[in-house]
Amino acid sequence: MSQPTTESLYLQPGRNLALELVRATEAAAIRAEPYIGRGDKLGADGAAVDAMRAFLGTVNFDGTVVIGEGEKDEAPMLFNGERVGNGQGPAVDIAVDPIDGTSLTAAGRQNALSVIAVADRGSMLDASTVFYMDKIVTGPEGIGVVDIRQSVAENIQALAQAKKVPVSDITVAVLDRPRHEGLIEEIRAAGAGTRLMLDGDVAGGINAARYGTRIDMCLGTGGSPEGIVTACAIKALGGHIQGRLHPRDDAERQRGIEAGLKMDYVYGADELVRSDNTFFVATGVTDGGLVAGVQHRGPIIRTESIVLRSKSGTIRRIVADHLVEKWR
């Protein structure tokens, strides 16, 4: 078998890319920090977008934003199709959410993150025409065991059996939304507990797939873009994710079909993101179960980030201290 050439290796996203990307999420989180608890989610998002865009412009890659932010909630945009990076290096798809949890930030609540996911060019599913997706996420124990087409009770029982624990030990993360009232009742009727999330189902999905957390499964209807971003992380964690598009009306369904999306179809991890070389980077804006939020400590600003890469199967945590004077 022929060995990859230097040129072909250069055109693939490499291990150093993760450390470049984390600079962008750190910047977005730091710029959003003054808005925490101030009730101005658009102001927070705008500051985070500007900071992320500026840092991404210095990264050695040719990135195309496949999954931007702002179209759904009328926030400032890193828009779909925008080119980012310095135009050199590997060609990649990029998904960005300068703040996953703008409402959480504005209210001063937990689990707001700044997020970037990257994969080889042309490998991310572009689900931008259908804003919502039904999702199920578990750790590796759920592979071949749980299925979004099964009932909630069947999935909970199957996962409990695979993990060799009683059903009563299973905890399911769900976005706390009126649309999920029936789902929450089903989970509890099956004998499992719930962890209700005010926002940020990316963190919920990752915690469901990570070893040693208190969440065993993440279920419910959330943003399609967040589903693709989560898939990039799940591929690095070896977990299980399935998604099924959930159009809000016939017009949106038709737009999805015209864009080449499959309705009433279950997308697996390898269809949500076809690349086996994915990166997921997140920096905490506010404190949460995944990472700590931005902290001012005298002359420094401390950030905590998590960096996942599927090719190497690594999970890294990066705690960085930034001089306040450099950020004024």
Side-chain angles (χ1 to χ4, degrees):
M1 185 172 69
S2 62
Q3 295 297 313
T5 65
T6 301
E7 180 181 9
S8 67
L9 286 173
Y10 178 71
L11 294 175
Q12 297 173 1
R15 66 186 68 179
N16 292 334
L17 179 59
L19 297 180
E20 290 296 304
L21 296 173
V22 79
R23 293 169 60 238
T25 56
E26 287 173 346
I30 289 169
R31 289 303 189 199
E33 187 272 340
Y35 293 87
I36 294 173
R38 304 293 180 178
D40 183 4
K41 73 174 190 175
L42 292 183
D45 207 31
V49 168
D50 289 344
M52 180 174 282
R53 179 183 280 118
F55 272 79
L56 285 177
T58 69
V59 178
N60 192 44
F61 70 167
D62 179 10
T64 298
V65 177
V66 175
I67 298 169
E69 63 89 49
E71 294 175 338
K72 183 170 65 177
D73 53 8
E74 298 181 356
M77 290 191 190
L78 267 160
F79 58 84
N80 292 350
E82 182 171 349
R83 300 294 288 272
V84 293
N86 62 13
Q88 302 177 28
V92 299
D93 287 346
I94 180 167
V96 297
D97 200 342
I99 305 180
D100 177 35
T102 53
S103 296
L104 299 177
T105 302
R109 295 191 175 110
Q110 292 190 334
N111 291 316
L113 301 170
S114 178
V115 174
I116 295 175
V118 168
D120 297 303
R121 174 66 55 79
S123 61
M124 286 187 186
L125 180 70
D126 182 356
S128 58
T129 51
V130 180
F131 286 144
Y132 290 101
M133 176 184 289
D134 301 326
K135 288 168 273 190
I136 186 169
V137 186
T138 71
E141 301 90 348
I143 297 174
V145 172
V146 304
D147 192 298
I148 200 169
R149 290 161 289 205
Q150 295 178 165
S151 70
V152 171
E154 287 173 323
N155 280 324
I156 289 172
Q157 291 163 6
L159 185 61
Q161 186 174 5
K163 298 185 80 165
K164 297 181 172 58
V165 298
V167 166
S168 58
D169 282 359
I170 296 294
T171 300
V172 182
V174 184
L175 280 172
D176 190 6
R177 298 287 188 273
R179 64 177 178 267
H180 287 151
E181 290 179 0
L183 174 61
I184 292 166
E185 290 178 4
E186 285 187 75
I187 293 166
R188 292 171 177 169
T194 55
R195 180 70 57 87
L196 301 185
M197 304 176 293
L198 292 171
D199 211 336
D201 63 341
V202 172
I206 293 171
N207 282 326
R210 282 198 308 134
Y211 177 77
T213 72
R214 297 181 179 181
I215 296 175
D216 302 283
M217 181 186 298
C218 188
L219 267 180
T221 304
S224 297
E226 288 84 349
I228 311 303
V229 170
T230 304
C232 287
I234 298 309
K235 295 192 80 164
L237 293 167
H240 175 65
I241 182 171
Q242 290 176 316
R244 182 171 53 202
L245 294 168
H246 189 107
R248 293 170 292 181
D249 52 38
D250 290 340
E252 188 174 69
R253 181 184 183 89
Q254 187 58 38
R255 285 196 299 270
I257 292 171
E258 290 171 357
L261 297 173
K262 301 175 183 177
M263 301 297 133
D264 308 313
Y265 177 82
V266 176
Y267 287 91
D270 290 333
E271 295 170 297
L272 295 170
V273 184
R274 294 191 300 276
S275 173
D276 288 324
N277 190 25
T278 65
F279 295 82
F280 173 90
V281 178
T283 299
V285 178
T286 60
D287 287 338
L290 191 61
V291 285
V294 178
Q295 304 171 49
H296 277 270
R297 298 191 172 191
I300 67 162
I301 301 169
R302 176 164 293 175
T303 58
E304 184 179 3
S305 306
I306 187 169
V307 179
L308 311 176
R309 187 185 181 206
S310 64
K311 190 169 186 178
S312 56
T314 50
I315 305 171
R316 289 185 172 89
R317 290 187 176 273
I318 298 174
V319 176
D321 288 343
H322 313 259
L323 285 174
V324 171
E325 65 186 53
K326 300 292 186 180
W327 288 88
R328 286 176 178 158

